């Protein structure tokens, strides 16, 4: 079954800690994305990547970092510089270069601060 | 400044009736629009899309209408079913030059009463 796997489903972080959220896809998609969803808010783009070893900042990149060492993997690190990290994080992927191809989403990771 | 607006946070309809979910946008460069459906603690799933060269796209019980002059689109669900109860996000993108980035609205929570 092709799809996007995000892990863990729930994650707790202590103040001052960095945490890394995993995102893996086996859809052979070139483009991958990280979004953040807050209650009553839409999805806001954190980072995106169109090709291995390259990524761009989205609308709310401050306090986050990413890497794209493999086509199928796009981990997101929430650093201690992110002052309000509690949120629902969604990873997505899509075929690149065809804007009419919808993004496919994982089931998300809910991050909470202890 | 929100470029995609879903001004009604919630909608409640009777089973079997029509659900109409509205979405407005401000960026005239947007030329492709998508609707996603999201259940709690899950990722959004793609529902239906429309290109700006069309004014209507239909897929089973779901129809999306686009009024470019008014920068307005709507999703019609007929007949509505209890399983349609979810949050619906409107999203928009530019088909060329925008790296498939999507801009999302805040979502509308649809409740279908049995």
């Amino acid at each position: 079954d092709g799809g996007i796997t995000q892990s863990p489903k729930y994650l707790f972080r202590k103040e001052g800690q960095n945490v890394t959220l995993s995102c893996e896809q086996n859809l052979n998609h070139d483009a991958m994305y990280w979004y953040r969803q807050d209650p009553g808010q839409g999805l806001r783009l954190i980072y995106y990547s169109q090709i291995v070893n390259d990524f761009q900042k989205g609308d709310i990149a401050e306090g986050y970092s990413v890497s794209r060492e493999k086509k199928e993997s796009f981990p997101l690190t929430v650093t201690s510089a992110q002052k309000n990290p509690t949120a629902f994080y969604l990873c997505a992927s899509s075929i690149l270069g065809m804007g009419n191809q919808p993004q496919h989403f994982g089931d998300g990771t809910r991050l909470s601060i202890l | 400044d929100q470029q995609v607006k879903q001004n009604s946070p919630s909608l409640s309809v009777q089973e079997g009736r029509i659900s109409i979910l509205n979405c407005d946008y401000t960026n005239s460069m947007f030329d492709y629009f998508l609707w996603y459906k999201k259940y709690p603690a899950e990722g959004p799933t793609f529902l239906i899309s429309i290109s700006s060269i069309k004014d209507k796209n239909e897929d089973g019980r779901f129809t999306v209408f686009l009024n470019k002059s008014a920068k307005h689109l709507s999703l019609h669900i007929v007949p509505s079913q209890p399983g349609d109860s979810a949050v619906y996000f409107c999203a928009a993108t530019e088909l060329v030059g925008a790296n498939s980035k999507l801009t999302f609205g805040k979502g509308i929570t649809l409740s279908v009463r049995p």
Side-chain angles (χ1 to χ4, degrees), chain B residues 18-108:
Chain B
I18 184 172
S19 295
I20 300 177
L21 290 72
N22 293 309
C23 178
D24 297 289
Y25 62 97
T26 58
N27 188 340
S28 57
M29 298 300 292
F30 289 149
D31 53 9
Y32 194 73
F33 305 89
L34 307 91
W35 284 92
Y36 283 84
K37 175 180 178 179
K38 184 182 180 300
Y39 293 117
E42 293 183 9
T45 54
F46 170 71
L47 198 56
I48 192 168
S49 61
I50 188 166
S51 163
S52 60
I53 62 173
K54 293 185 173 183
D55 54 17
K56 176 183 173 181
N57 188 27
E58 191 172 355
D59 184 1
R61 296 186 297 115
F62 302 91
T63 303
V64 56
F65 295 91
L66 175 63
N67 182 334
K68 280 193 303 181
S69 61
K71 293 190 177 69
H72 176 83
L73 62 154
S74 60
L75 174 67
H76 293 212
I77 306 173
V78 183
S80 302
Q81 298 173 354
D84 296 330
S85 298
V87 178
Y88 290 79
F89 290 99
C90 172
T93 188
E94 301 170 46
L95 282 178
V96 177
N99 305 317
S100 299
K101 287 171 56 179
L102 293 177
T103 300
F104 285 85
K106 290 186 177 183
I108 300 172

Side-chain angles (χ1 to χ4, degrees), chain A residues 50-108:
Chain A
Q50 298 173 283
I51 194 169
V52 173
N53 293 322
D54 188 45
F55 45 83
Q56 287 79 42
K57 292 181 179 180
D59 301 319
I60 54 165
E62 186 175 351
Y64 300 98
S65 65
V66 293
S67 63
R68 188 84 186 277
E69 297 177 2
K70 298 185 295 182
K71 184 177 183 178
E72 59 270 23
S73 178
F74 191 40
L76 173 75
T77 296
V78 184
T79 75
S80 56
Q82 171 49 241
K83 297 307 176 190
N84 186 21
T86 297
F88 189 54
Y89 290 87
L90 287 159
C91 178
S93 70
S94 71
I95 297 171
L96 183 64
M98 300 175 68
N100 60 349
Q101 293 297 316
Q103 293 180 15
H104 298 259
F105 285 83
D107 280 341

